[in-house]
Amino acid sequence: MLKYRKFISHFPWIIVVLWMFLIFSLSAQPAQKSDHLSIGVTEKVVAIVEKVAPRTNLNLDVLNHVIRKNAHFFIYLVLAIMVQIHINKK
């Protein structure tokens, strides 16, 4: 029972470390692989936007840049929120 409680108390930090590993693994990708991944996401966003607003002209390069920058912001935002929640619990 004591080991179970100890695991439960450390579990939120395990999630934080896993999130940090995700950030590291995505950052360690070669530039071409990373760009290919973000272009794929951008193309899906464009397809969804065109279904909602068919007459919208989107520049794929500009949108890809915006999506890449926002992805960096949000992945670190999630990390900061998770760490802040766990620090405030103590």
Side-chain angles (χ1 to χ4, degrees):
M1 188 67 142
L2 183 60
K3 288 181 181 180
Y4 178 73
R5 285 185 183 175
K6 199 171 195 175
F7 175 75
I8 293 298
S9 69
H10 292 307
F11 185 73
W13 288 110
I14 293 170
I15 299 297
V16 169
V17 170
L18 289 173
W19 192 258
M20 291 167 68
F21 179 76
L22 173 70
I23 292 172
F24 176 78
S25 64
L26 290 173
S27 299
Q29 289 181 341
Q32 288 179 334
K33 186 175 180 182
S34 176
D35 191 48
H36 182 69
L37 177 65
S38 64
I39 287 174
V41 171
T42 304
E43 288 172 347
K44 289 182 183 189
V45 169
V46 167
I48 291 170
V49 169
E50 286 178 348
K51 286 181 182 178
V52 174
R55 295 183 184 152
T56 305
N57 292 330
L58 298 173
N59 184 335
L60 191 63
D61 291 332
V62 172
L63 189 58
N64 185 39
H65 179 75
V66 169
I67 287 175
R68 287 179 68 91
K69 295 302 173 186
N70 281 307
H72 282 95
F73 173 77
F74 283 110
I75 200 164
Y76 283 104
L77 176 68
V78 169
L79 177 63
I81 290 170
M82 289 190 314
V83 169
Q84 189 64 37
I85 287 171
H86 301 315
I87 288 174
N88 285 338
K89 282 185 180 181
K90 290 186 177 187

